[in-house]
Amino acid sequence: MSITASTLYRDSYNFMRNQMSSVLALSVLAALITVILSWVLSPSAEQIDAIGQLMNNMTGMSVGDMMGYIEQQITPEQQSAIFRYSLAALFSTLAGNVILVGGVLTLIQLVSQGVRASVVQVLTASLPVLPRLAILLFIYSVMFRIGLALLFVPAFLIAIAWALSPVIACKENTGAFRAMRLSTRLAFSNVRLVAPAVMLWIVAQVVLMLFVGVLSALNPMIGAVILGAVSNIISAFMLIYLFRLYMKLHA
């Protein structure tokens, strides 16, 4: 029997509907972790002002002019601020994603085994896989951003190739690099099922960015948590879909 995207979407929707309370709790928790870590690790107000001044000075410049301006005009304080801001954004996002991915994939496996577990039990059970997920998602994040910096197409291909890697790492208890290698082979062998889901996830994330200004107007931190939680719910659905796909491929 062939695997169809409509069947996978329907199965994923039914699972998410039945486990919505747990998925919502994990999504909010991951968003809170991201926002709190970002707030703790971010530069001071003075350093943020320095970054803002730098960006204002580069308004309207071409890419080449920007690079030349950065090389000649950027101050050590601005360098330090940019480095700390980038590090805070990367680490806080990575921490939230690791909790979300590990929690959701562990929840799916526990439910599949007939185990009714609380969110605390799910997180506890996910602890052994978090280190390898952290390595995997760090590599994924860095390579995806490099792909975006070059063109959209490389980032899209990376997203497709490694889409199944978190599922494989958790389900097969394998290392990050082997999971990415196996994911690449499976994903491109079943690109008609993986590519549309990845594209929908990317589009959904872009659409969410349109609401950043609206939610931030309420309260920056509250808006960030709400936006992060919604983004995480979308990512959770994607993970459920990919898990269902992987299981059907190995049925």
Side-chain angles (χ1 to χ4, degrees), residues 31-224:
L32 279 170
I33 290 173
T34 298
V35 172
I36 291 172
L37 284 177
S38 179
W39 177 71
V40 171
L41 298 175
S42 287
S44 64
E46 292 78 10
Q47 290 178 315
I48 292 176
D49 289 340
I51 296 175
Q53 183 61 44
L54 178 66
M55 298 305 294
N56 289 334
N57 292 340
M58 292 191 298
T59 301
M61 292 184 181
S62 65
V63 175
D65 291 339
M66 286 183 183
M67 296 304 295
Y69 180 85
I70 290 174
E71 290 177 1
Q72 298 175 14
Q73 302 296 329
I74 189 169
T75 66
E77 291 78 11
Q78 289 172 329
Q79 289 179 346
S80 175
I82 292 172
F83 176 77
R84 185 171 177 181
Y85 185 84
S86 301
L87 191 63
L90 177 63
F91 182 76
S92 60
T93 302
L94 178 64
N97 287 342
V98 168
I99 294 298
L100 177 72
V101 173
V104 170
L105 292 178
T106 301
L107 173 66
I108 298 171
Q109 293 182 81
L110 291 176
V111 172
S112 300
Q113 296 167 6
V115 178
R116 295 178 61 87
S118 66
V119 172
V120 174
Q121 291 172 319
V122 169
L123 291 173
T124 302
S126 71
L127 289 178
V129 303
L130 296 187
R132 76 173 69 102
L133 280 178
I135 297 172
L136 190 155
L137 293 177
F138 175 77
I139 298 171
Y140 191 114
S141 177
V142 170
M143 294 304 296
F144 185 78
R145 293 185 184 191
I146 291 175
L148 282 179
L150 298 174
L151 283 172
F152 175 76
V153 174
F156 183 54
L157 292 176
I158 290 170
I160 293 174
W162 294 344
L164 291 164
S165 56
V167 176
I168 296 172
C170 289
K171 181 63 180 176
E172 305 301 336
N173 198 29
T174 189
F177 293 102
R178 186 168 187 272
M180 288 187 287
R181 186 170 64 253
L182 293 174
S183 174
T184 301
R185 188 177 72 241
L186 277 176
F188 285 116
S189 297
N190 299 274
V191 69
R192 66 182 179 84
L193 297 172
V194 178
V198 171
M199 177 59 76
L200 285 174
W201 176 77
I202 293 175
V203 170
Q205 299 299 324
V206 171
V207 170
L208 278 180
M209 291 299 102
L210 300 177
F211 295 92
V212 170
V214 177
L215 291 175
S216 296
L218 302 175
N219 179 285
M221 292 194 70
I222 293 176

